[in-house]
Amino acid sequence: MDFPSHRVLSTLNAWHFDAEPTKEVLPSRATRTPTGGHQPAGERRGASFVRRHNLPSQGSTAPAEAHMSDAQHSAVIGFYETHPINEDEILVKLKARGIDIDTLTEADLKDFDQDHYGGVEAVDALAAGAKISHEKHVLDVCSGMGGPARWLAYKYNCRVTGLDLTRSRVEGAKRLTECVKLSRLVEFFEGDAMSMPFSDSTFDAVISQEAWCHIPDKATLLAECSRVLQPKDANAVTAIVPVGTLP
């Protein structure tokens, strides 16, 4: 693959936020190189975020001044509107494999809907880092086509809310979720990760995969993750980071 100015490193960070957003405790960190799974073609996944049932709320306390510029917003939307991993392509590949859409499960879909390095094994690593279990309500920031959110609901029987900036991917994620009959556990919303439409202390865990490279203000992003998390709950992320030019 051609990465002219970045090496792709998948870094699993799991940390717990104290009651005050400025305090962070990092109990564990593991650095991983991407192996297997579905590999993205460059820096990917649009800035996204989500919520469930009583989310989003009109009374969000997100900082009003934090947002993407119009140019940044348009660039991310344009990238994902033309992304090669999309709803139509996923359905074509399922049909080519001889999989009946009417009886589709996430066990079938997982080989086609994980728009990140490492496939569902990477999602399970995040789940372990964030201590996700069936009683948790998880936020997937930059949820894309919804693969990680569906997998978490399927494997751990937990509630998951997905948030993404790109409307077509939010709508596609909803339809695929309906196909695998997980809509009772998973919902998707269109929104900006730097100004999340969720109330304080809504979620028990936050995950994200290879999307934060699109978000210009990381401090605001982390503050928003802290705000919507229950105190002392966990955030687990893999990220694409700049480390120099590849040969």
Side-chain angles (χ1 to χ4, degrees):
M1 293 185 298
D2 181 19
F3 294 99
S5 61
H6 292 73
R7 179 177 295 114
V8 177
L9 297 178
S10 186
T11 303
L12 170 60
N13 295 286
W15 66 92
H16 295 264
F17 288 107
D18 234 330
E20 299 178 21
T22 53
K23 292 183 180 180
E24 297 173 18
V25 183
L26 296 113
S28 64
R29 175 182 177 130
T31 302
R32 313 161 63 90
T33 53
T35 58
H38 293 78
Q39 299 186 346
E43 289 186 351
R44 329 178 87 238
R45 302 195 64 177
S48 359
F49 310 84
V50 140
R51 195 206 77 143
R52 163 141 188 106
H53 294 315
N54 58 330
L55 324 175
S57 71
Q58 297 297 319
S60 170
T61 58
E65 70 278 4
H67 62 276
M68 283 186 171
S69 69
D70 289 344
Q72 289 167 331
H73 187 280
S74 297
V76 172
I77 296 294
F79 182 83
Y80 285 100
E81 288 287 2
T82 58
H83 198 282
I85 300 177
N86 55 61
E87 182 185 8
D88 290 341
E89 181 67 16
I90 289 170
L91 294 174
V92 166
K93 289 183 175 180
L94 287 167
K95 184 177 180 180
R97 185 78 68 88
I99 297 172
D100 186 351
I101 300 301
D102 292 335
T103 59
L104 185 67
T105 70
E106 183 57 27
D108 302 315
L109 187 56
K110 68 176 174 57
D111 293 331
F112 306 94
D113 69 349
Q114 302 296 318
D115 182 12
H116 56 83
Y117 281 84
V120 294
E121 292 83 3
V123 181
D124 286 336
L126 290 181
K131 296 180 171 58
I132 291 172
S133 57
H134 74 276
E135 72 274 11
K136 302 288 188 178
H137 185 185
V138 182
L139 173 64
D140 183 0
V141 175
C142 308
S143 50
M145 293 306 304
R150 282 186 295 273
W151 180 253
L152 289 174
Y154 173 78
K155 182 169 182 179
Y156 301 95
N157 197 35
C158 61
R159 294 169 57 197
V160 188
T161 293
L163 179 64
D164 203 275
L165 193 66
T166 306
R167 180 172 300 173
S168 63
R169 296 182 88 71
V170 170
E171 295 304 318
K174 289 178 180 179
R175 287 188 289 268
L176 289 172
T177 301
E178 290 171 1
C179 284
V180 297
K181 300 175 178 58
L182 285 172
S183 296
R184 65 185 178 84
L185 290 174
V186 186
E187 288 186 338
F188 297 95
F189 294 89
E190 180 184 354
D192 187 335
M194 292 189 296
S195 184
M196 298 187 195
F198 310 128
S199 298
D200 295 357
S201 303
T202 294
F203 301 99
D204 304 301
V206 173
I207 69 160
S208 188
Q209 289 178 270
E210 296 158 25
W212 288 13
C213 55
H214 295 294
I215 301 172
D217 187 343
K218 304 298 189 292
T220 296
L221 170 60
L222 285 169
E224 277 294 86
C225 289
S226 174
R227 182 182 67 77
V228 302
L229 269 174
Q230 294 279 349
K232 300 185 184 299
D233 277 328
N235 185 24
V237 175
T238 60
I240 296 174
V241 297
V243 294
T245 301
L246 288 177

